[in-house]
Amino acid sequence: MFEKEKQQIVNMSLRLYNEKLIVGTWGNLSMRLKDKNGEELYLVTPSGMEYEDTKIEDLVILNEQGDIVEGHRNPTSELKMHIKIYKSINNINAIIHTHSTYATACAVAGVTIPMMVEDMIQHIGGDVRVAKYALPGTDELASYAVEALKERNGALLKNHGVIGIGKSMVDAYKSCILIEKSAKILIYAKILGHVHLLSTEDAEKMIEYYNNKYGQK
């Protein structure tokens, strides 16, 4: 069941690992699915497994209550956060949580990534906020993540990492990679001495263009 979607997650996990957006067993991925009766399901990565060794059969499918309906592994320890985001944001179908270096540096410093580069603004929908700190795997972290993601496709988790969301697994990946790239630019720009921000008016125009005209629409 859902073999295509499982392969997408395995492939993306390896991509994230090879690009050093995730390290070892940290970070997690999920997809929102529908069964033949239209019931919502969640396909998630297993807890504490090396991504370079993770196979399709290691993935776990759960229902809206968080009960396992397929799979023999323990699901990701951040399951509460994934389910809370899906239940709070209707138009997304994929979530990626990474611990990438530059973005996590901003998260540790509690520094919002401002509206300074076009691609990040267009895809994320504005600045990248820092969610309030809570212990991993808790209801509090889930709630803070949802708050930071309001009208955004990505956020920083304070002292923790990055959360990227999207309509597809590729969209969620774009959120994570753009946040990491923008965090790196922010740090380098601060070293150079000045960060020039784009105006809210220009940002709104770029987001409107990206959502309605950019690409092969």
Side-chain angles (χ1 to χ4, degrees), residues 17-32:
Y17 177 81
N18 290 330
E19 294 179 7
K20 302 188 186 313
L21 294 179
I22 56 177
V23 178
T25 63
W26 288 271
N28 32 77
L29 299 82
S30 71
M31 295 180 73
R32 190 205 308 256

Side-chain angles (χ1 to χ4, degrees), residues 153-193:
N153 285 322
L156 300 176
L157 305 176
K158 194 169 186 180
N159 291 89
H160 191 155
V162 178
I163 192 80
I165 63 176
K167 294 180 181 178
S168 67
M169 186 56 62
V170 171
D171 278 344
Y173 165 78
K174 288 179 182 178
S175 297
C176 292
I177 198 72
L178 285 169
I179 289 172
E180 177 67 358
K181 181 182 80 81
S182 300
K184 187 174 183 178
I185 291 169
L186 176 63
I187 292 168
Y188 283 177
K190 283 178 175 284
I191 291 170
L192 292 172

Side-chain angles (χ1 to χ4, degrees), residues 5 39 79 104 108 113 122 153 169 204:
E5 290 81 1
E39 296 296 319
L79 181 63
T104 302
V108 168
I113 303 175
Q122 290 175 319
N153 285 322
M169 186 56 62
E204 289 174 350

Side-chain angles (χ1 to χ4, degrees), residues 5-98:
E5 290 81 1
K6 291 176 182 175
Q7 191 63 58
Q8 283 185 53
I9 285 190
V10 169
N11 291 347
M12 185 57 73
S13 297
L14 286 172
R15 183 174 185 176
L16 295 166
Y17 177 81
N18 290 330
E19 294 179 7
K20 302 188 186 313
L21 294 179
I22 56 177
V23 178
T25 63
W26 288 271
N28 32 77
L29 299 82
S30 71
M31 295 180 73
R32 190 205 308 256
L33 309 171
K34 296 283 187 181
D35 68 12
K36 61 183 179 181
N37 298 316
E39 296 296 319
E40 192 159 293
L41 300 172
Y42 309 116
L43 174 65
V44 305
T45 48
S47 175
M49 290 190 66
E50 297 282 348
Y51 281 97
E52 56 185 336
D53 298 325
T54 301
K55 306 291 190 298
I56 282 179
E57 54 268 26
D58 296 315
L59 303 181
V60 185
I61 297 179
L62 306 103
N63 60 22
E64 287 190 83
Q65 290 71 47
D67 301 319
I68 295 175
V69 298
E70 183 184 314
H72 64 284
R73 301 291 189 186
N74 292 327
T76 171
S77 58
E78 296 294 0
L79 181 63
K80 288 182 179 179
M81 181 172 67
H82 286 255
I83 292 179
K84 178 79 170 179
I85 292 170
Y86 285 125
K87 288 186 174 181
S88 303
I89 306 174
N90 293 325
N91 64 338
I92 66 156
N93 297 302
I95 298 170
I96 299 175
H97 168 45
T98 73

